[in-house]
């Protein structure tokens, strides 16, 4: 139609994304193979879960991204490393939430893409080692840590993210193995939280796994509230669980009624007291940018667009979105940015939902600025200060970089035949659990 914006040819951007990813992957293979993280400035190795004992985190996080990019010889290299080296009988406490979204999810996604049986076996092995955190808890709310070798649990002082972000990974294991235990334990923990909502229908974010008591009054759509809400919707989207959708809708209606705040024509979600609705803080974490996508995919497209518009003004202002900004003044309260993927996450989700090119344009700016500010000698580096000229880098690359933003950009710009663009599911760590076209 005349006047419609000419649809840009995004293939060159897709090729740049793939080139940068494989460049970083080669350095990881040559200098840090099997390490949780590569140190992108020095080329060193870094542990994530347990000091002194890496379990190949970045490799596990990268596999489905490599597969979607059709880097099949590199997929094979990673699978061979896993078959030869990955073991979970480690006598140390592992954080249950991080181990689930990264290792259970990463192995499940690798199995979904490759069909390699050993990957499913390892996903089940590490998931089984997490279960005592749930079964040892008097409330069903999992402890934060479990020793993968002994099953000893610890740290009952937890939050709704770390008790409520399991249904996607645990539910897909139940679907693939026929063992309903995983789904049932994950959903029960979500039910306990939902049943403790306040009169306003809001949730504080900190809770005690043994007493079941709230440990704070503040409600947030950012950390550590964010992926609890995400996984209520995901449990419905993935498994058709109508009850989870009811809980999601009730909580989302309350959030839109009591937490939404407009500044000019932008939508923000300050933190509020869950019992009174009083605004407690105008801090907006960059991690909350995922929520624009969640609103968009769950029937609240206008609100999702408006929240993405708000974060886009921050991206325009700072170039790279700071870890947190004050939405009433637009000043950065934490000027770092640990290569956070959420703005690109919601750009993909909103593009899939609306088809609007604006979201590909915004993701392209996100990619372009990431390359300009984070690229270092051996990979991509987190930033200590996005406002410094040039932005100052830190000698670390988070595991989610290999799973998240590079995959989001690739899916946005490549139109790869390996992804079912109409029926798919990416977890909160962007692990592909549905929609791989082998
Ligand atoms: O859900 C998550 N939260 C924090 C990380 C990205 O910022 C990542 O592990 C994941 O997306
Ligand atoms: Ca996430």
């Amino acid at each position: 139609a005349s006047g419609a914006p000419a649809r840009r040819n995004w293939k060159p951007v897709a090729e740049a994304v793939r080139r940068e990813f494989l460049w970083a992957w080669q350095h990881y293979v040559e200098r840090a193979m099997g390490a949780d993280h590569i140190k992108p400035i020095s080329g060193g190795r870094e542990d994530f879960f347990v000091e002194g004992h890496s379990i190949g985190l970045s490799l596990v996080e990268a596999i489905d991204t490599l597969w979607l990019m059709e880097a099949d010889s590199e997929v094979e290299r990673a699978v061979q490393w896993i078959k030869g080296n990955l073991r979970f009988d480690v006598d140390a406490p592992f954080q249950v939430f991080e181990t689930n979204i990264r290792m259970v999810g990463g192995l499940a996604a690798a199995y979904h893409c490759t069909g390699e049986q050993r990957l499913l076996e390892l996903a089940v092995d590490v998931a089984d080692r997490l279960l005592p955190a749930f079964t040892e808890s008097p409330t069903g709310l999992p402890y934060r840590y479990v020793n993968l070798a002994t099953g000893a649990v610890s740290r009952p002082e937890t939050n709704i993210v770390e008790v409520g972000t399991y249904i996607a990974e645990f539910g897909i294991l139940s679907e693939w193995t026929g063992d309903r235990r995983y789904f049932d334990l994950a959903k029960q923990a979500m039910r306990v939280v939902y049943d403790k909502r306040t009169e306003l229908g809001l949730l504080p974010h900190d809770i005690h796994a043994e007493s079941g008591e709230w440990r704070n009054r503040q409600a947030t759509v950012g950390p550590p509230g964010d992926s609890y809400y995400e996984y209520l919707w995901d449990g419905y989207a993935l498994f058709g669980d109508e009850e989870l959708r009811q809980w999601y809708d009730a909580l989302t209606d309350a959030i839109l009624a009591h937490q939404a705040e407009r500044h000019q024509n932008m939508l923000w979600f300050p933190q509020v007291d869950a019992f009174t609705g009083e605004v407690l803080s105008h801090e907006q974490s960059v991690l909350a940018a995922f929520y624009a996508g969640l609103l968009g995919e769950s029937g609240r497209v206008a609100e999702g667009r408006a929240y993405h518009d708000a974060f886009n003004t921050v991206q325009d202002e700072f170039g790279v979105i700071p870890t947190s900004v004050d939405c009433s003044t637009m000043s950065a309260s934490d000027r770092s940015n640990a290569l956070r993927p959420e703005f690109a996450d919601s750009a993909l989700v909103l593009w899939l939902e609306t088809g609007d090119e604006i979201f590909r344009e915004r993701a392209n700016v996100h990619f372009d600025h990431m390359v300009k500010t984070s690229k270092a000698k051996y990979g991509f580096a987190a930033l200590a200060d996005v406002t410094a000229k040039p932005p100052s880098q830190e000698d670390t690359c988070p595991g989610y970089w290999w799973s998240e933003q590079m995959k989001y950009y690739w899916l946005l710009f490549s139109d790869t035949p390996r992804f079912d663009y109409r029926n798919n599911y990416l977890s909160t760590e962007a692990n592909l659990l549905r929609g791989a076209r082998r």
Side-chain angles (χ1 to χ4, degrees):
S2 68
R7 192 171 296 273
R8 179 169 161 181
N9 168 25
W10 292 104
K11 287 285 186 274
V13 178
E15 281 150 20
V17 169
R18 188 174 189 277
R19 186 168 57 246
E20 297 294 355
F21 190 79
L22 294 181
W23 168 82
W25 171 254
Q26 279 312 327
H27 283 308
Y28 173 83
V29 168
E30 283 156 19
R31 295 174 176 279
M33 189 67 168
D36 286 338
H37 294 163
I38 187 168
K39 300 182 79 166
I41 296 171
S42 60
R45 305 166 67 97
E46 185 178 63
D47 303 317
F48 173 75
F49 292 101
V50 174
E51 196 54 43
H53 189 95
S54 268
I55 54 171
L57 172 64
S58 294
L59 179 145
V60 170
E61 299 236 40
I63 296 185
D64 61 348
T65 312
L66 288 167
W67 185 82
L68 285 165
M69 292 180 172
E70 303 187 47
D72 294 335
S73 57
E74 296 309 320
V75 170
E76 187 52 27
R77 184 200 307 273
V79 171
Q80 287 314 315
W81 184 89
I82 286 174
K83 287 169 122 175
N85 299 277
L86 187 55
R87 300 171 50 95
F88 290 113
D89 55 342
V90 180
D91 184 1
F94 278 68
Q95 193 171 354
V96 177
F97 162 71
E98 294 288 7
T99 307
N100 175 58
I101 66 170
R102 295 166 185 250
M103 297 308 282
V104 178
L107 290 164
Y111 170 69
H112 178 53
C113 292
T114 65
E116 172 67 52
Q117 197 58 34
R118 182 67 186 135
L119 299 171
L120 177 58
E121 288 167 8
L122 283 164
V124 169
D125 176 54
V126 64
D128 286 347
R129 294 173 189 274
L130 299 179
L131 295 189
F134 293 80
T135 55
E136 295 298 306
S137 167
T139 63
L141 298 172
Y143 286 85
R144 285 189 77 216
Y145 283 79
V146 63
N147 181 306
L148 295 190
T150 67
V153 297
S154 58
R155 313 279 285 275
E157 307 84 4
T158 184
N159 56 69
I160 65 173
V161 156
E162 297 192 57
V163 303
T165 310
Y166 301 90
I167 197 82
E169 297 81 8
F170 278 30
I172 210 76
L173 289 189
S174 286
E175 185 176 294
W176 290 343
T177 65
D179 181 346
R180 284 193 55 84
R181 262 185 322 157
Y182 306 105
F183 180 90
D184 292 346
L185 287 169
K187 181 175 177 180
Q188 180 53 26
M190 300 175 100
R191 181 192 301 278
V192 172
V193 167
Y194 179 71
D195 287 347
K196 293 177 184 301
R197 65 197 181 283
T198 67
E199 294 274 297
L200 293 180
L202 297 173
L203 298 174
H205 53 67
D206 291 344
I207 195 164
H208 198 284
E210 289 166 341
S211 68
E213 297 299 318
W214 291 118
R215 297 191 302 116
N216 80 319
R217 298 176 62 91
Q218 177 175 276
T220 184
V221 300
D226 48 12
S227 53
Y228 174 79
Y229 302 110
E230 182 178 7
Y231 271 32
L232 288 173
W233 177 259
D234 290 6
Y236 164 70
L238 258 180
F239 310 113
D241 187 307
E242 289 291 345
E243 197 174 23
L244 289 173
R245 178 176 184 159
Q246 285 159 20
W247 301 349
Y248 173 80
D249 282 338
L251 293 170
T252 304
D253 290 346
I255 288 167
L256 290 172
H258 299 291
Q259 283 191 247
E261 192 176 275
R262 289 191 180 279
H263 289 265
Q264 292 90 25
N265 66 339
M266 294 179 290
L267 180 61
W268 297 102
F269 290 90
Q271 281 64 242
V272 302
D273 183 304
F275 297 88
T276 67
E278 177 202 0
V279 173
L280 299 177
S281 158
H282 279 99
E283 290 298 300
Q284 287 292 259
S285 163
V286 63
L287 281 76
F290 95 98
Y291 196 61
L294 179 59
L295 288 170
E297 67 183 335
S298 63
R300 285 100 171 159
V301 174
E303 293 86 348
R305 278 182 174 276
Y307 198 33
H308 206 268
D309 290 352
F311 274 104
N312 192 57
T313 60
V314 180
Q315 177 167 269
D316 284 348
E317 169 73 22
F318 290 93
V320 175
I321 300 170
T323 292
S324 75
V325 296
D326 178 319
C327 65
S328 58
T329 63
M330 291 293 272
S331 60
S333 24
D334 179 336
R335 295 202 298 263
S336 69
N337 183 302
L339 277 169
R340 297 289 180 182
E342 284 80 5
F343 184 76
D345 180 354
S346 45
L348 172 63
V349 173
L350 285 164
W351 176 68
L352 288 171
E353 188 65 33
T354 67
D356 190 334
E357 282 292 285
I358 188 74
F359 297 113
R360 290 212 281 197
E361 284 159 19
R362 291 178 180 177
N364 185 34
V365 169
H366 193 267
F367 169 59
D368 182 49
H369 290 183
M370 183 204 74
V371 173
K372 286 192 169 77
T373 57
S374 283
K375 189 162 185 175
K377 191 170 182 187
Y378 301 114
F380 288 83
L383 299 180
D385 182 349
V386 303
T387 67
K389 304 271 184 276
S392 47
Q393 297 180 342
E394 290 186 56
D395 195 10
T396 188
C397 177
Y400 48 76
W401 180 85
W402 300 93
S403 184
E404 296 211 48
Q405 56 262 62
M406 296 307 275
K407 186 184 290 144
Y408 301 142
Y409 305 141
W410 176 249
L411 295 176
L412 274 157
F413 303 127
S414 71
D415 193 26
T416 171
R418 292 202 171 179
F419 180 73
D420 182 338
Y421 278 86
R422 304 187 62 76
N423 179 18
N424 55 72
Y425 175 75
L426 292 171
S427 73
T428 197
E429 190 79 6
N431 285 310
L432 184 63
L433 302 182
R434 184 163 293 161
R437 293 165 64 174
R438 297 212 308 244

